[in-house]
Amino acid sequence: MWVQKIGAVLMGMLMLGGQAVPVFAQEATTPETYSDGMFTFAYVDGGVALYSVETTAISVSIPEDTDGRKIVEISDGAFYGCSSLQSVTIGGNVKSIGKSAFAGCSSLAKISVPDNVQTIGENAFSGCTALSTVELPDNLTEIPDGMCYFCPLLENINYPASLERIGTEAFYNCYLLPSPEFPEGLKTLGDYAFAFCGNITDADLPSTTESLGSAVFFGCEGLTEFTIPARTLDLGSLVFLGCTGIGIYLVIKSSVRLRLLRELEQVLGYL
């Protein structure tokens, strides 16, 4: 069966459970595809990509190959809106997971990304409202923008030792997410990366941190202490807006300290 998908890569807004979630549509190109019933595949360099799946799928195991071709990618939006999907196993030849690949899979509770996966696209798991556990590959260097945007039940995730960047809104409104254990080597946290993560109580940034985006911890009402290292020179605005519980902080740079003192005075009203 030959399948066509039309549209453009859009980032609109879809109201899901009262929360704004990115809307996805695939690129306005028609790749050559074929189907085996459950999956539709598209030809790509080095093998095939899993292009789409039946939206009624409940449990999916992605094989390593199909018809003698390696399955090397999960395409943008491949599982988008599969609201019945409860479990998925990713095959050993998959190297990349596309944008919004599992977005809106509202019954998916756990996903384990194997070490063969090298990159994950933006908003890959956004709007997975039942998702509680994400296991990331050890060699991952970037958590992309919006990866777990509005995953309010997320409470178990690892931060790989190779991690260098956490993207914009990566964990926006992941309310149950506990205090992160950032690895040495992390350099950048994007805008709103942990906004409205109310269960975070402390944020000890590693000595390698160079850049903090705007409102990184916006609305983290449980946050009581943080440390910003000397290397952090690029500091966004309103980093701790809405963090009304802050009582202990350590800033090892005088210029950054003065700026944060002004912001904390606005947040807490007494410095």
Side-chain angles (χ1 to χ4, degrees), residues 131-155:
L131 191 64
S132 63
T133 299
V134 175
E135 297 175 355
L136 296 174
D138 291 338
N139 60 345
L140 194 70
T141 59
E142 178 179 11
I143 290 177
D145 296 351
M147 185 183 79
C148 292
Y149 183 101
F150 188 46
C151 295
L153 299 185
L154 181 64
E155 55 183 344

Side-chain angles (χ1 to χ4, degrees), residues 26-149:
Q26 285 189 297
E27 294 180 0
T29 58
T30 305
E32 186 178 358
T33 63
Y34 68 94
S35 176
D36 67 359
M38 171 68 76
F39 302 125
T40 297
F41 298 100
Y43 297 101
V44 296
D45 291 342
V48 295
L50 197 164
Y51 188 63
S52 65
V53 64
E54 291 293 325
T55 57
T56 56
I58 296 175
S59 180
V60 169
S61 180
I62 301 172
E64 294 191 358
D65 54 58
T66 176
D67 292 337
R69 301 180 181 89
K70 292 181 179 180
I71 302 173
V72 295
E73 299 177 10
I74 298 175
S75 294
D76 296 354
F79 289 82
Y80 181 81
C82 290
S83 58
S84 298
L85 185 68
Q86 297 177 11
S87 66
V88 62
T89 301
I90 297 173
N93 287 323
V94 174
K95 296 180 180 179
S96 65
I97 296 174
K99 298 177 182 178
S100 300
F102 295 92
C105 293
S106 54
S107 298
L108 186 64
K110 177 181 179 180
I111 189 160
S112 179
V113 183
D115 287 341
N116 45 280
V117 173
Q118 300 170 6
T119 60
I120 299 174
E122 298 174 5
N123 300 296
F125 313 117
S126 64
C128 292
T129 51
L131 191 64
S132 63
T133 299
V134 175
E135 297 175 355
L136 296 174
D138 291 338
N139 60 345
L140 194 70
T141 59
E142 178 179 11
I143 290 177
D145 296 351
M147 185 183 79
C148 292
Y149 183 101

Side-chain angles (χ1 to χ4, degrees), residues 251-268:
V251 183
I252 318 173
K253 196 74 175 180
S254 58
S255 59
V256 173
R257 178 186 293 274
L258 290 173
R259 179 172 171 182
L260 273 178
L261 283 172
R262 288 193 291 269
E263 287 198 8
L264 289 172
E265 183 177 13
Q266 295 176 350
V267 173
L268 304 177

